Amino acid sequence: MLRLSTGLRINSASDDPSGLAIADKLKTQANSIKQGIKNANNGVAFLQIADKAMSEQSRILDIVKSKLIQAKSDTTSNQGKDAIKKDINKYLTQLDNIASQTNYNGISVLQKKSSNKEGTSKFVFQVGEKSENTISTDGNVQSNTTGLGLESLKNTSTLDDSNVGIWMNNVDMALDKLNKFRSDYGSTVNQLESSVRYMSSMHTSLKKSESVIRDIDYAQEYSILNRLKLLMMAGMFAMVQANKVQENMLKLLFK
């Protein structure tokens, strides 16, 4: 009845000492992997936030490049170049804002800290039960004007033919660097998603293995229960019959 009410074949160590030890170890392993799955999914969300932010930064750099091309043409007046310079400054200021404000749970993902423009350290995600089961980024992501080599363009006072061509090349290099950051984060996301698929399969197998050891076979237990009920009923019937025999013998003796 205890087994049927709990659904467990092992309710105490005395039921199956070795089985309990194995089942508990499998349970711990399964729970560790379950947490690893959560960590990996959190890591995916972490890096996808960074990628979306860098996608907007890439769009900003595309616009800046177009404006520099516009400024390079002789058809653009000096007043027009001044307006373009102010526009570029605004866009690059927004690029820095994105770098400083983008975070996951308070952790900056595009630079060291919100108030520190240095590059990030590598991010390490624990995705397994062993300490060495980790997935990490390359690190040193510095997705701001300082890291992308565009600080001088942001602070320039003039746009003329002597420097616009240089800045156009600098924007191209900044885009290459930004794409490198995105590539690192993107490949790490692929690793984490692959890890989630593997760990999910492993978690299911571990829980199944634990269940085989710890849980009861309901059909077998009900069969045992019914057999015991029949034995009990047979015993009770035998006792009733024995009592009747004794009662009849007493009646004959005192008749």
Side-chain angles (χ1 to χ4, degrees):
M1 291 300 295
L2 176 62
R3 290 177 179 176
L4 287 170
S5 62
T6 61
L8 300 175
R9 184 180 68 84
I10 304 174
N11 288 283
S12 65
S14 60
D15 292 336
D16 185 351
S18 61
L20 178 66
I22 296 171
D24 280 351
K25 187 171 183 179
L26 290 172
K27 180 181 179 181
T28 299
Q29 188 179 4
N31 288 339
S32 298
I33 289 175
K34 184 177 180 181
Q35 184 58 54
I37 293 171
K38 291 180 180 178
N39 289 353
N41 282 325
N42 289 340
V44 169
F46 179 97
L47 296 174
Q48 284 179 338
I49 286 173
D51 183 66
K52 294 297 182 183
M54 286 190 286
S55 175
E56 178 59 24
Q57 288 182 317
S58 179
R59 192 184 75 85
I60 287 173
L61 292 180
D62 285 342
I63 294 172
V64 169
K65 177 69 180 295
S66 296
K67 290 190 173 297
L68 287 172
I69 292 173
Q70 182 183 0
K72 188 77 167 57
S73 176
D74 287 338
T75 57
T76 305
S77 65
N78 290 333
Q79 292 84 353
K81 290 180 180 179
D82 286 340
I84 289 172
K85 179 197 67 174
K86 292 177 182 178
D87 218 8
I88 288 175
N89 177 268
K90 293 288 186 182
Y91 275 112
L92 293 180
T93 297
Q94 178 57 20
L95 185 142
D96 278 340
N97 289 341
I98 292 171
S100 64
Q101 294 170 11
T102 304
N103 72 88
Y104 180 91
N105 195 28
I107 303 169
S108 293
V109 296
L110 299 182
Q111 60 184 41
K112 194 172 187 66
K113 292 180 181 179
S114 60
S115 57
N116 187 333
K117 289 189 173 184
E118 295 179 12
T120 64
S121 300
K122 71 177 181 178
F123 296 111
V124 181
F125 308 101
Q126 182 68 39
V127 295
E129 56 179 321
K130 304 295 184 182
S131 61
E132 62 269 19
N133 299 147
T134 60
I135 292 174
S136 63
T137 62
D138 291 341
N140 197 34
V141 171
Q142 193 177 8
S143 185
N144 49 48
T145 53
T146 302
L148 297 174
L150 298 175
E151 199 164 31
S152 60
L153 172 58
K154 177 184 173 184
N155 299 323
T156 187
S157 57
T158 59
L159 289 177
D160 54 51
D161 289 344
S162 63
N163 56 26
V164 171
I166 295 173
W167 283 324
M168 286 171 61
N169 291 332
N170 288 349
V171 171
D172 286 337
M173 288 188 288
L175 281 166
D176 288 341
K177 189 175 289 187
L178 188 63
N179 288 334
K180 183 175 180 295
F181 295 152
R182 293 186 70 185
S183 176
D184 173 31
Y185 279 2
S187 61
T188 305
V189 166
N190 289 337
Q191 278 186 282
L192 289 168
E193 289 178 339
S194 175
S195 178
V196 167
R197 291 191 292 271
Y198 160 72
M199 288 190 294
S200 296
S201 176
M202 189 173 182
H203 180 263
T204 300
S205 298
L206 287 168
K207 293 300 291 184
K208 183 177 180 180
S209 298
E210 181 198 356
S211 176
V212 169
I213 298 172
R214 194 190 299 274
D215 296 343
I216 66 166
D217 181 336
Y218 275 97
Q220 181 182 6
E221 293 297 332
Y222 272 113
S223 175
I224 293 173
L225 180 63
N226 289 332
R227 179 170 58 83
L228 293 174
K229 282 181 177 180
L230 287 173
L231 289 173
M232 183 177 67
M233 291 172 64
M236 292 175 64
F237 179 77
M239 289 176 63
V240 170
Q241 290 300 107
N243 289 337
K244 283 186 177 181
V245 170
Q246 291 179 358
E247 185 180 341
N248 290 334
M249 289 179 64
L250 288 172
K251 285 181 180 179
L252 290 172
L253 287 172
F254 290 100
K255 187 173 180 181

